[in-house]
Amino acid sequence: MRLPRLARYAALGSIVPLLFACTSSDPTQTTQHVTDDASHPESHVHPILKAHSAEFERKVYQVTEGVWSAVGFGLANSILIEGDDGVIIVDVMESRENAEAVMAEFRKITDKPVKALIYTHNHADHVFGGLGFVPEGDVDVYAHSTTNYYIDRIINQIRPVITNRSGRMFGNLLEKGDDGLVNAGIGMAVNQGHGGGVPTLIRPNKTFDDELDIEVAGVKIKLVHAPGETNDQIFVWLPEKKVLMPGDNIYKAFPNLYTIRGTLYRDVLGWAHSLDKMRDMQPEHLVPSHTRPVSGQAVIANLLTDYRDAIQYVHDQTIRGMNHGMTPDELVETVKLPRHLAEHPYLQELYGTVEWSVRNIFNGYLGWFDGDSATLSRASQKERGEAMVRLAGGEEKLLDNVQQALADDRNRWAAELANYLLFIDPEHAQARQLKALALRKLGKASISPNGRNFYLTQALELEGKTHMPKQAITPENLELIKTFPAKNFLSAMSVALDPAKSDTTDKRLSFTFPDVDETWTLHVRRGVAVLNEGLDPAAELNITVNKDNWIELVTGARSFPGTVASGDLEIDGGMLKLPELIGFLTMFDPAA
């Protein structure tokens, strides 16, 4: 028996992709929201972005006695702390291969054994290289008490859309070079999946809530919860060396107060307050998990102050404008950093941007509605497209307007105008071509690699020159996927339900996973699939299977008939009913 839809469930289990602006026309002035035109049309790359690549020279920096930072070996840094009889590694890169390359360099410094790992937060580029440092995986791993939870969220209900958006944001489909991927703003590039490194995971086993004082290999370490880029973010403080490791709460770029790949809301004001905690430590050395380390107490004090002030400024001025009744579109035109912050080398929009931050703050406080009742229930895209064509005097006139906007370097307007034709006909060849041209010009003018990569990737997609690939599950990836909870895979099934096929259905499918001592029931009820813990006595089918075997089934690593024949899967209630129940689930293919 073949269950093709069940096999396609592999798309929801993929962890291959990393889970993981632009400027004014004068680059010597503020580098806030992008204008339409490239300030240097002879170049394919904004000069500030191109120069930023030097920040990621592949090198191990000695910060102070006993502390080193490996920069440029992957998207994130890895930090070595040497103790009396062992070493501590802070953040472990995004893949085993990256970690092995860093460890080879660290072994030139010391051959002492690894006594502990510390994860500053859950992002893949900080946690998925563990086995490259400790191949046997037997080591103490310190992290916040919620880090395991946030790692588990990698397998979730919105995995397909995050996969696609992450691929565009990080430029996974772009060729490296001036016409494509330049750098990632906080590192050179992602090295995971699509021919890159293999993600591995050693789970945190030493966790804390607020603060934790430990001593490892004779080194006194203070771990402090400091929410910012993530809710589980911590900073690492070495009191005897005056070394601060802030994780991703500061790096040499404007902070990603909102990421265009999509994440949970980031508490902007909380981020500023976490930086205040760091300032109180009066560090003499700052070792970020992205970009190079910095030394000098006065320099660091000023840097932390300006960085947190920029965050609070954007927050406060956005709220101020909101209280005056301004919409997000109005706010992004008025909220600009003051000159002393806009010109700061650590606040160039080389990762996050002020515009995206403003929109996120508005949405975080008030939600999507901008306050103008005309937007409460907008006309459909098709209606708007048809109306715009009529207003322009016909399709040819609208296309003429798009081309004129491009000629005038009003590229944002050109892209929007082209969209109206695509609202009517998504395959309109000339509109796709012109929109792609507008996006490419916007990308090449962008100082933010996130924006640049998104623009350039979607331009290629419009031209039919690239598409999001199907996500292959390798044996190494499969072993990592098996470490995630069964509930994550089952809960994703609820958003795979096809309401048209199940609008008159009321059926239950129960699961027993003996190896992890868990039971669950999926209740398909008139267009809704509800996952409940425990067995339901009214279930039409009861499936008993070990969690690992189930994951192999849903990722296509093993066949359904073979699993049943081997006795690894038992069905109580009649095997012929299973295709009927599974048939309600239309799995989403991120490559479609």
Side-chain angles (χ1 to χ4, degrees):
M1 180 185 296
R2 293 184 68 250
L3 298 175
R5 292 186 178 88
L6 187 61
R8 291 182 65 198
Y9 189 59
L12 297 174
S14 174
I15 46 74
V16 174
L18 184 63
L19 302 179
F20 330 156
C22 311
T23 67
S24 60
S25 58
D26 181 358
T28 66
Q29 302 298 317
T30 63
T31 55
Q32 297 184 43
H33 171 64
V34 79
T35 55
D36 291 291
D37 62 307
S39 55
H40 293 262
E42 73 279 3
S43 173
H44 296 296
V45 186
H46 192 287
I48 295 177
L49 174 58
K50 189 162 187 175
H52 192 52
S53 291
E55 184 70 25
F56 312 114
E57 177 188 0
R58 191 179 176 100
K59 181 177 178 180
V60 176
Y61 294 86
Q62 181 165 12
V63 178
T64 188
E65 184 180 357
V67 182
W68 291 264
S69 177
V71 178
F73 290 79
L75 188 64
N77 303 338
S78 194
I79 302 161
L80 172 70
I81 305 170
E82 183 179 10
D84 296 334
D85 61 346
V87 300
I88 304 101
I89 307 293
V90 178
D91 289 340
V92 296
M93 315 297 289
E94 70 252 38
S95 71
R96 184 181 61 205
E97 288 81 354
N98 287 53
E100 288 172 342
V102 171
M103 193 58 172
E105 295 299 312
F106 286 167
R107 282 301 175 221
K108 296 176 183 177
I109 299 168
T110 176
D111 61 359
K112 295 175 182 177
V114 177
K115 293 289 188 178
L117 306 178
I118 299 174
Y119 299 161
T120 60
H121 61 292
N122 70 86
H123 282 168
D125 51 326
H126 299 256
V127 303
F128 277 163
L131 294 183
F133 289 104
V134 186
E136 65 279 7
D138 183 16
V139 66
D140 288 339
V141 180
Y142 292 87
H144 189 254
S145 56
T146 61
T147 295
N148 268 316
Y149 164 78
Y150 286 112
I151 290 173
D152 287 342
R153 290 188 79 256
I154 292 170
I155 304 295
N156 60 33
Q157 294 175 323
I158 60 170
R159 177 79 270 118
V161 66
I162 292 293
T163 293
N164 282 356
R165 289 168 64 125
S166 296
R168 294 185 181 110
M169 182 182 117
F170 284 111
N172 291 352
L173 303 182
L174 299 177
E175 295 291 332
K176 292 183 180 179
D178 286 359
D179 284 323
L181 177 63
V182 178
N183 64 62
I186 53 172
M188 281 307 298
V190 177
N191 181 35
Q192 187 190 82
H194 304 300
V198 174
T200 66
L201 178 63
I202 307 175
R203 290 271 180 174
N205 52 26
K206 301 285 185 180
T207 63
F208 68 98
D209 292 326
D210 298 318
E211 295 185 4
L212 180 66
D213 290 292
I214 58 175
E215 185 171 322
V216 181
V219 180
K220 293 182 179 178
I221 303 172
K222 187 178 190 69
L223 306 177
V224 180
H225 184 214
E229 189 179 86
T230 63
N231 292 334
D232 67 325
Q233 198 90 203
I234 69 171
F235 68 77
V236 181
W237 172 243
L238 306 183
E240 296 178 333
K241 299 177 185 292
K242 297 292 184 181
V243 173
L244 173 67
M245 289 160 256
D248 280 9
N249 278 346
I250 183 170
Y251 34 70
K252 196 174 182 181
F254 187 83
N256 223 16
L257 304 181
Y258 169 75
T259 175
I260 58 175
R261 72 178 181 271
T263 62
L264 295 172
Y265 176 72
R266 292 176 173 178
D267 184 350
V268 174
L269 205 55
W271 194 330
H273 292 159
S274 290
L275 287 163
D276 285 335
K277 289 183 183 180
M278 300 179 197
R279 294 167 65 226
D280 291 343
M281 300 294 175
Q282 299 182 344
E284 295 179 5
H285 305 281
L286 180 71
V287 193
S289 289
H290 294 281
T291 67
R292 298 178 184 178
V294 181
S295 292
Q297 184 173 338
V299 172
I300 294 169
N302 289 333
L303 174 56
L304 291 171
T305 299
D306 289 342
Y307 208 79
R308 62 88 55 217
D309 282 357
I311 293 173
Q312 184 174 339
Y313 182 92
V314 173
H315 171 274
D316 291 355
Q317 294 309 306
T318 301
I319 301 299
R320 180 172 177 266
M322 288 162 53
N323 286 334
H324 282 280
M326 298 177 73
T327 67
D329 286 345
E330 293 170 323
L331 286 166
V332 299
E333 298 301 324
T334 58
V335 178
K336 309 289 183 183
L337 291 177
R339 180 172 289 270
H340 77 284
L341 296 176
E343 295 179 348
H344 197 294
Y346 270 71
L347 291 168
Q348 303 304 292
E349 293 180 316
L350 288 157
Y351 199 50
T353 78
V354 174
E355 177 181 359
W356 302 339
S357 303
V358 167
R359 293 186 184 279
N360 192 47
I361 293 165
F362 185 101
N363 189 67
Y365 277 90
L366 293 181
W368 65 267
F369 178 45
D370 65 5
D372 180 353
S373 55
T375 67
L376 270 175
S377 182
R378 302 181 72 179
S380 69
Q381 288 187 342
K382 187 173 186 295
E383 182 181 349
R384 283 153 54 203
E386 291 170 342
M388 185 61 74
V389 168
R390 288 195 298 271
L391 284 171
E395 181 177 310
E396 291 304 315
K397 290 283 189 181
L398 183 56
L399 288 169
D400 288 344
N401 276 276
V402 177
Q403 291 170 327
Q404 186 60 55
L406 287 167
D408 294 341
D409 267 335
R410 292 180 292 122
N411 300 306
R412 290 176 295 179
W413 180 233
E416 183 174 336
L417 279 178
N419 259 357
Y420 289 113
L421 286 168
L422 296 174
F423 289 165
I424 303 170
D425 177 11
E427 300 304 318
H428 193 293
Q430 193 169 357
R432 289 172 70 91
Q433 179 186 15
L434 292 174
K435 182 180 178 181
L437 179 57
L439 296 184
R440 188 165 285 110
K441 293 176 73 173
L442 287 167
K444 290 177 179 179
S446 176
I447 187 176
S448 167
N450 293 346
R452 173 189 170 91
N453 294 341
F454 224 103
Y455 283 131
L456 296 184
T457 301
Q458 288 201 318
L460 291 172
E461 290 174 318
L462 283 166
E463 294 167 338
K465 295 177 180 177
T466 192
H467 65 276
M468 289 295 158
K470 294 182 182 295
Q471 303 300 326
I473 303 297
T474 67
E476 294 89 351
N477 290 336
L478 182 60
E479 290 308 305
L480 176 57
I481 292 170
K482 288 178 181 178
T483 71
F484 290 83
K487 180 182 179 182
N488 292 43
F489 296 89
L490 295 175
S491 62
M493 295 173 74
S494 64
V495 297
L497 185 68
D498 186 333
K501 295 180 179 178
S502 58
D503 60 348
T504 61
T505 300
D506 189 346
K507 296 182 181 297
R508 298 164 178 83
L509 175 62
S510 287
F511 296 86
T512 298
F513 300 107
D515 54 331
V516 291
D517 193 25
E518 292 182 16
T519 55
W520 300 91
T521 296
L522 188 72
H523 184 182
V524 179
R525 184 176 60 234
R526 302 199 66 178
V528 176
V530 181
L531 182 66
N532 295 310
E533 191 170 3
L535 298 177
D536 189 328
E540 281 79 8
L541 286 181
N542 288 276
I543 292 178
T544 300
V545 59
N546 283 342
K547 189 195 78 167
D548 284 0
N549 291 337
W550 174 253
I551 290 175
E552 289 181 1
L553 269 173
V554 299
T555 57
R558 66 157 62 195
S559 71
F560 181 80
T563 305
V564 173
S566 67
D568 290 336
L569 183 144
E570 299 176 3
I571 298 178
D572 181 15
M575 189 175 299
L576 294 178
K577 291 182 180 180
L578 184 59
E580 179 187 359
L581 286 172
I582 296 297
F584 296 133
L585 305 174
T586 302
M587 300 307 166
F588 179 79
D589 187 344

